[in-house]
Every structure is written in C-alpha cells, then in structure tokens.
Amino acid sequence: MYLRRSPRRLRTGVTLLSLAALLVSGCSAEGSTSSAGSTAVAALAALPRATPSGLSPYYGQKLSWRGCGVTGFECATMKAPLDYAEPGAGDVRLAVARKKATGRGKRLGSLLVNPGGPGGSAVGYLQQYAGIGYPAEIRARYDMVAVDPRGVARSEPVECLDGREMDAYAQTDTTPDGQRETGELVDAYKEFAQGCGAHSPRLLRHVSTVEAARDMDILRAVLGDRKLTYVGASYGTFLGATYAGLFPDRVGRLVLDGAMDPSLPARRLNLDQTAGFETAFQSFAKDCVRQPDCPLGGKGAPPAKVGENLKAFFRKLDAQPIPTGDPDGRKLGEALATTGVIAAMYDESTWAQLREALTSAMKENDGAGLLVLSDSYYERDADGRYANLMAANAAVNCLDLPAAFATPDQVEKALPSFEKASPVFGEGLAWASLNCAYWPVRPTGEPHRIEARGAAPIVVVGTTRDPATPYRWARSLSRQLASARLLTYEGDGHTAYGRGSACIDSTIDTYLLHGTPPAEGKRCT
C-alpha cells in the first residue's frame, strides 16, 4: 500500500509514496485500539548480550571517512553480513554518512536518524534535512549520522523495473472493472515481483527489518557509542522499536515519531491506514470548502459531498485520462490522480497545492499539477528515472509480513470493509494490498509484540489525525514497550517532530539533550 514516511520529503521537493507499497490502515483515536489483539502474538525475543564470534570482524571494523560532495558531511561504507545466520556467506555494503557535532560543549555521541518508508534514504534525509534542519543545540552536541538500510538507495539497492516499466506500473488501474482489468492489475504485480527477483536475487531474502536493526547495532559499535540514540519517523519507528526489542540493554534515547504497531497482520495494517487517509481527507475537505478556490464544493459543503465529488472526478479520469504536458506522453488517469491526492494528505502545508492542482485538472483539463504530486510520491525525476523507493518498500514489506491477500477473490470479499473505512480511497487501497501475493521470496516475519524489557525510557509520538500511521498504532506500541512514554500531538499530518509544534519540539529536544522523557499522558497542539 502506501508508504509510512516523513512528510518533510515532500516539503523539500523530494517526495512521498506509491500504489503498490504494502502497509495500510488508520482509525481515529476514538476507535478501538489494537492492543486487545496484541496478546495473541508472541513478543520479539532479545538477542544474547555477547557478540557471536562470527560477527566480531564486523563489530571491530574501522570506517574510512571521506568527503561526500556535500559541504559539512562525511561518508563511509560499512560491511554487514548478508545472512546473520551464516556470517561467512558474504557481505552487504551499507552507505553511512555523518555530520560531526558543531558545538564546543560536551559531545553526547551519535544521533542516528531514519525517515521511514521502508525505502526512504536515510543518508539523503540527513544531508537534505536532519543534518541542517534539526535544532542547532542538537546538532551542536551530537554527531548526526544516517545509514541507508540494506537494499535502499546507496546500500546495494533492490532493483525491479526500469523507468519506462515503472511509468506503466504507476498508471495501472487499481480500481478494476471486471475480470479483464483485474487480470491486468495482477499481471502488473507479477511483472514487478518478477523484475525484483531477476535483478536482486542475492539480496531479496535479506532485507528484513530485523536484519536492518542488527546492522544498526554494528554501526553503533563502530561509531564507538555504548548505547544507541535514535530518531525514527514512520517506518523508522518500527525499525527503532525492533532494535529496542533485540538489544534492550543498548537502548539510549529513542524517539519513535509516527509509530507503527508491530503486532498487526498486513491486512489489518492496510485497513487501518485506509481509514487514516480518510481521516486526513476529512480534515482536508473541511478546510477546502472554507477556501475560495476549492474545486470540490462550495462553502459549507459536508465532507461526504466533497468526497463524492472527488470520486466522480476519479471516475471521469478512469474513462478518459487528461493531458499533462509530460514530455514522455503520460496522461493523468485515475491511478496517478489518486496517488497525487494521497501524497498531499501527508502534510497540511500541501493542501493549497492540491487545491490548485485539482482546480487545473477539473476545470481546465490540465493534469500537470496532480502529476507533479504523484511523481514526487514515486520519487520520479524529470528525466523519467525512479529512485528505488518503491522496489525497496515492497521488498521489505513483503519479507516482514505474510501478504494481506493471496488472491483477487479475497480482495473482492474485503472490499466492503475497505470502502467503509474510506469511501474515497478504500477500493483502490484494497486492491493495492494484493501486491505481495506474487512476491518471489517467502516472508520471514510474523506479527509480534515488542516489549524491550530493561530498556531505558523510549518516547513514542503519535499524531491524532495522522494519515499513514494512525494514532491508535502509537497508543498500542506505547502499551507494548515496557519503558515507553506516549507523547501526543493533537493535529493533522504525518509525524510531529519539527512540524511547527513548539510543545512537541521542546519536549523531544529536552529528552535528547538531557535524557528527561515527557510526563505520562503529555499532549501537545
């Protein structure tokens, strides 16, 4: 399904998500929590404290730092075992970047950051945002560090389709009408999966979140830190929580912002995220009709009517795509338009851009604005090249959990529940949840709780109207983690830190600088 990732990507002009990711879901804070079902799944077991002898060469390696071509940053390559069960079976090479602490005060160590995805480049996030945009006092006291997880960006990226093939894939109709269109969607998923299997056969079995978390522990040791200090957003919270579960005694100051719930199966995750996007759309709709340029309804129009108007527009595009001026000849059909709208749900600062794009498409027959939003989500550049975001996203998700659906018939039966969760997006998001059914590698993970007993206090952050990581997930994760403190942001958008709330920012900064977690039940606006 759609990605769990930091909205700052869109802010800085880089991007957001995709129609064939995996995860989905999201209900409001008032809905029932998932914690009731959490007791039925096992807890992630901590690894032995002693480092296995076969891993000693990795933990003892020295990084050779060099210039990155980005002022103020250094880069290096770290080795990790391809297969932790057989450390002698080969290596995977991981890209690491850092910006050293700039202040004269006592250095607090390394602060590792991850923006989410899965598939988002942590190195890119560090160089484009965290290393220059985090509070000055944080950057003064910490070496800011990032590692692209295995299979992502600069770390032996998983490859699946070329640019032209990805163009076709992104335009595949995910609201099929009849058997022919259903067959075309299934064929697209199969082609994508087969491409991944053909281009990345060695790595595809070893890009799980557990393996990426173990890589982070090697990096912690190589950097000379006794404990890990970490800020993870969106999927980065799953990665950070997994680290805590595996290495609770090595947890330093962990911030998990826009938290995921590891206890849920893929279908429930997808259903929850579908409801989360509906929650975000309701907020957008209420705001839209208060603006003079809303193309989806006049002043006072109820959100349900705004949604009906958008759905009617999507149906028109399904029957007749409109021009975009794209040099490669792409037109705006329902699939690309839906992705463009969902991309704008991640951050309320993008709502004005969405209104303008919808106005151009609906009233001027010009789909360029929505195509820009969709391309930003897919990380497609002006030359038609795609980052490996979508490939890595599917590779990690399809390995971490069994598929949400195994057949189109299962999707058909589940459509009513998805359409109830979101009348606007439910049908498309249900069909998007089918992508892992055809994956060439069997999953190695299962739903599980993460307790991390014995860990230092961990700050879990949830946003009440988060579209991609619903607030209920933060509540559930905070109840699973033995040492968690839940910090709530009452607002819109995906994640909370660095998005304009002085209360959130100061609370997290105090924790990172002084180790003081927020009070139980702290809420911010």
Side-chain angles (χ1 to χ4, degrees), residues 208-446:
S208 70
T209 297
V210 166
E211 289 164 312
R214 297 191 69 172
D215 295 342
M216 291 202 308
D217 195 56
I218 293 177
L219 179 58
R220 173 203 59 77
V222 169
L223 292 171
D225 293 308
R226 190 172 63 87
K227 293 181 180 289
L228 180 76
T229 299
Y230 173 85
V231 176
S234 199
Y235 163 79
T237 67
F238 181 34
L239 182 57
T242 300
Y243 180 90
L246 295 173
F247 307 102
D249 58 306
R250 299 172 193 173
V251 169
R253 300 168 187 176
L254 263 61
V255 177
L256 308 179
D257 182 13
M260 286 181 57
D261 182 353
S263 72
L264 300 179
R267 188 180 303 189
R268 175 60 182 274
L269 289 171
N270 288 336
L271 185 61
D272 279 358
Q273 199 182 57
T274 298
F277 281 117
E278 181 66 24
T279 297
F281 179 76
Q282 295 276 322
S283 293
F284 165 75
K286 292 174 184 176
D287 178 78
C288 187
V289 297
R290 290 196 291 263
Q291 311 302 324
D293 61 341
C294 181
L296 296 171
K299 186 175 182 179
K305 180 60 177 177
V306 175
E308 290 173 6
N309 292 340
L310 182 60
K311 281 287 289 182
F313 173 59
F314 285 161
R315 285 192 292 270
K316 287 179 62 177
L317 293 177
D318 190 27
Q320 178 101 39
I322 63 175
T324 64
D326 177 60
D328 294 316
R330 291 178 301 157
K331 291 188 174 183
L332 185 77
E334 182 181 15
L336 292 177
T338 302
T339 300
V341 171
I342 284 184
M345 295 299 100
Y346 279 71
D347 190 338
E348 66 271 27
S349 70
T350 317
W351 290 354
Q353 181 182 351
L354 176 59
R355 292 196 308 272
E356 182 179 351
L358 284 169
T359 298
S360 294
M362 298 175 72
K363 298 184 177 181
E364 301 168 18
N365 210 44
D366 179 2
L370 284 172
L371 184 64
V372 166
L373 284 167
S374 179
D375 283 351
S376 76
Y377 188 88
Y378 279 107
E379 293 196 352
R380 181 193 193 272
D381 67 21
D383 295 322
R385 295 186 297 261
Y386 287 77
N388 93 307
L389 172 66
M390 290 303 125
N393 182 265
V396 175
N397 281 329
C398 296
L399 198 60
D400 274 351
L401 287 175
F405 299 107
T407 66
D409 286 344
Q410 291 182 358
V411 179
E412 292 275 8
K413 291 177 182 177
L415 280 176
S417 62
F418 276 78
E419 291 177 316
K420 181 179 180 181
S422 175
V424 178
F425 305 117
E427 181 184 6
L429 293 182
W431 283 106
S433 306
L434 183 62
N435 68 308
C436 285
Y438 309 104
W439 203 245
V441 175
R442 293 179 64 84
T444 57
E446 293 281 352

Side-chain angles (χ1 to χ4, degrees), residues 493-510:
H494 183 38
T495 73
Y497 186 44
R499 299 191 68 248
S501 168
C503 173
I504 289 288
D505 293 353
S506 63
T507 301
I508 292 176
D509 292 346
T510 296

Side-chain angles (χ1 to χ4, degrees), residues 3-92:
L3 308 184
R4 296 87 63 186
R5 56 181 305 189
S6 168
R8 299 180 190 93
R9 304 287 293 178
L10 213 163
R11 281 185 179 182
T12 55
V14 184
T15 172
L16 283 174
L17 46 176
S18 147
L19 272 175
L22 182 166
L23 180 69
V24 197
S25 145
C27 292
S28 68
E30 289 72 26
S32 60
T33 67
S34 58
S35 57
S38 299
T39 56
V41 297
L44 179 66
L47 292 171
R49 293 191 179 191
T51 300
S53 59
L55 298 180
S56 295
Y58 296 102
Y59 275 83
Q61 67 187 294
K62 304 294 183 185
L63 297 184
S64 177
W65 295 99
R66 61 189 184 278
C68 295
V70 180
T71 302
F73 293 87
E74 300 174 303
C75 289
T77 300
M78 186 185 84
K79 292 182 179 179
L82 175 67
D83 185 349
Y84 276 91
E86 297 184 48
D91 300 334
V92 58

Side-chain angles (χ1 to χ4, degrees), residues 151-165:
V152 174
R154 300 162 177 85
S155 293
E156 299 196 17
V158 170
E159 302 290 348
C160 299
L161 303 177
D162 63 24
R164 290 286 186 182
E165 291 167 334

